[in-house]
Amino acid sequence: MATTFAQTTQGSLARRIARNMLSRSARHFVSGLVGFVLIPMFTKHLGAAQYGVWVLAQSVIGYLMLLEFGLTTTLVRHVAAARATGDYTQANRILGQLATLLWVVAGLIVLATLVGVALLPYAFKLSPDQVRLFQAAFFIIGTQAAVGVAMNIWEGAMGAVEDYHILNGLYIFAALARLAYSFVLLKLGFGLLVILSAQYVVLAIVWLIEIAYFRLRYPQFSFRPQWHGWKEAKSLVKFSGAVFVSHIAGLLANDTDKIIAGIFLGPTAVAIYQVGYKLYDLARSFIANAPTVLIPTATALYARSEDERLRRMLCQVSSIMVAIIASIYIPFILYGRDFILLWVGPKFEQSAIVLAWLSAAMLVSASNRILGSVLWGTDDYRVLVNIS
């Protein structure tokens, strides 16, 4: 009887991991495929300079997102731990604390966006027309990011209950909608600002569906902001601080080059860098983000002291991930230049150099992708912070 139960729970765990990782991979595959199709259209209809302004504004907003301080990952980890032991009272206290902090962060991002609109354009090598375009794009992207941080209360909770397949399905819909409205708007002659506004509308629909789903599916959770004092928030902030350090490392690795290029070389150089980076990132987002769905699973196994199942999960999933990464990035190094010439044309030939170096870095770090998510889930994140 015990053996049958163990086999059943092991099978349930495997199915849940497979469902979440496959749906996360499908989400990023569709998003990547949409981006792959749209980039030649953007560079053709918007031009390299206007596309570079867009990329530059997004990169700066990426730094404003540091204000989120890792709170969403903290929500996933701690709510999952409370739910694993059936303590919904504690789960709601955590949700109340983090909801309060996330709403404060959303307000700070709006404030920082307004300051950035006034001051940032003059830090970059932009023409007068590009300055006005940057200001408008920066405002739209910044306020969208602020609302997105507030909505992370619900997205983080969906991760904690391991309903990633629902969340990923919604973002697959958003990616396909982006393809449709971008194609139509570009063909009709509309520019960057209209495209960004349409993106805002689609994301608002996704957020409303998330809220409605979670309230109907999990009425036992409360999302009302509540503050229970810094003493209770201390462990949450400590974990968030570790995630924050990791996020800084990621931004320095992924966005700093674009900002430096914008300061010294202008938006056209940013666009050239972005083409090589985007091809690398399309594959990276497909495979590298999938392991994050393991955080609540690892948290639940760790909370129940199921160490053997945790080790088995780590070994099995890691070996699969290394094989997938090698099969994608080695061809990028060998044939990236030829592919870029076919994809966006000879104007972006230098993008192949960016792609080759980024692909080599991904291969070096391939074996650590799954381990990182497991360490976050088991609250043993100090090694990750030191490496970051």
Side-chain angles (χ1 to χ4, degrees):
M1 187 73 173
T3 302
T4 302
F5 175 77
Q7 290 173 342
T8 301
T9 54
Q10 179 64 29
S12 175
L13 175 64
R15 285 192 297 273
R16 192 164 66 249
I17 292 172
R19 180 195 68 190
N20 290 335
M21 291 195 70
L22 288 174
S23 65
R24 176 61 65 93
S25 295
R27 166 183 169 179
H28 289 288
F29 175 76
V30 172
S31 178
L33 185 61
V34 168
F36 177 80
V37 172
L38 288 178
I39 282 178
M41 296 180 63
F42 288 149
T43 55
K44 177 182 178 181
H45 291 276
L46 300 179
Q50 191 173 166
Y51 180 62
V53 169
W54 184 2
V55 172
L56 194 57
Q58 285 182 316
S59 298
V60 177
I61 292 298
Y63 278 90
L64 290 186
M65 291 300 290
L66 285 174
L67 294 171
E68 190 266 353
F69 203 69
L71 294 172
T72 305
T73 303
T74 302
L75 191 155
V76 173
R77 198 270 168 201
H78 286 79
V79 173
R83 180 173 179 263
T85 58
D87 191 351
Y88 285 95
T89 299
Q90 178 63 14
N92 285 330
R93 290 179 72 88
I94 293 169
L95 280 171
Q97 293 269 62
L98 292 175
T100 302
L101 294 173
L102 285 168
W103 278 109
V104 171
V105 168
L108 291 175
I109 291 176
V110 170
L111 180 62
T113 297
L114 295 175
V115 173
V117 166
L119 301 179
L120 275 176
Y122 305 102
F124 303 114
K125 191 176 181 180
L126 302 174
S127 69
D129 288 341
Q130 290 170 346
V131 166
R132 289 189 290 273
L133 178 64
F134 178 90
Q135 288 175 319
F138 191 80
F139 177 78
I140 294 172
I141 299 170
T143 54
Q144 177 184 301
V147 177
V149 165
M151 293 303 102
N152 281 353
I153 302 166
W154 285 271
E155 293 195 6
M158 290 180 75
V161 299
E162 299 184 74
D163 272 0
Y164 284 106
H165 58 301
I166 302 296
L167 190 61
N168 294 329
L170 288 172
Y171 278 98
I172 289 173
F173 156 76
L176 294 175
R178 180 179 180 231
L179 176 62
Y181 68 67
S182 296
F183 179 82
V184 172
L185 293 174
L186 289 172
K187 288 296 183 181
L188 291 175
F190 290 102
L192 173 60
L193 299 182
V194 175
I195 291 173
L196 290 177
S197 299
Q199 177 176 288
Y200 212 146
V201 171
V202 170
L203 286 176
I205 294 171
V206 169
W207 292 330
L208 290 173
I209 294 173
E210 287 174 4
I211 295 172
Y213 168 82
F214 205 91
R215 287 191 178 280
L216 290 173
R217 180 74 173 81
Y218 300 100
Q220 65 269 42
F221 286 103
S222 171
F223 293 89
R224 186 178 63 184
Q226 297 179 18
W227 188 248
H228 303 290
W230 281 109
K231 183 177 180 181
E232 190 165 327
K234 184 177 179 181
S235 63
L236 302 176
V237 173
K238 181 180 179 182
F239 186 88
S240 292
V243 179
F244 173 71
V245 172
S246 177
H247 285 177
I248 291 177
L251 276 173
L252 291 174
N254 295 322
D255 288 313
T256 303
D257 292 346
K258 303 169 201 174
I259 292 177
I260 293 174
I263 292 172
F264 294 103
L265 301 175
T268 300
V270 175
I272 291 173
Y273 181 92
Q274 177 69 2
V275 167
Y277 172 81
K278 191 64 176 180
L279 191 55
Y280 151 84
D281 190 55
L282 293 178
R284 183 188 68 85
S285 61
F286 169 54
I287 55 176
N289 290 319
T292 59
V293 304
L294 296 175
I295 293 177
T297 305
T299 297
L301 292 175
Y302 181 72
R304 295 194 293 263
S305 300
E306 299 182 38
D307 296 339
E308 181 56 35
R309 295 178 71 192
L310 186 61
R311 282 192 292 267
R312 187 160 56 246
M313 179 188 76
L314 173 62
C315 293
Q316 291 173 347
V317 182
S318 292
S319 60
I320 295 171
M321 182 59 65
V322 170
I324 293 173
I325 289 175
S327 68
I328 294 174
Y329 285 98
I330 289 176
F332 275 0
I333 294 173
L334 297 177
Y335 307 110
R337 176 182 174 277
D338 296 334
F339 186 82
I340 286 174
L341 292 177
L342 290 172
W343 183 33
V344 289
K347 291 188 299 184
F348 294 92
E349 183 176 3
Q350 289 180 299
S351 302
I353 300 172
V354 176
L355 175 61
W357 279 106
L358 292 174
S359 297
M362 175 62 77
L363 288 171
V364 171
S365 63
S367 62
N368 296 327
R369 295 288 164 178
I370 303 299
L371 178 61
S373 294
V374 171
L375 289 176
W376 285 119
T378 59
D379 209 22
D380 192 11
Y381 50 82
R382 293 166 190 81
V383 174
L384 297 173
V385 174
N386 292 334
I387 292 173
S388 298

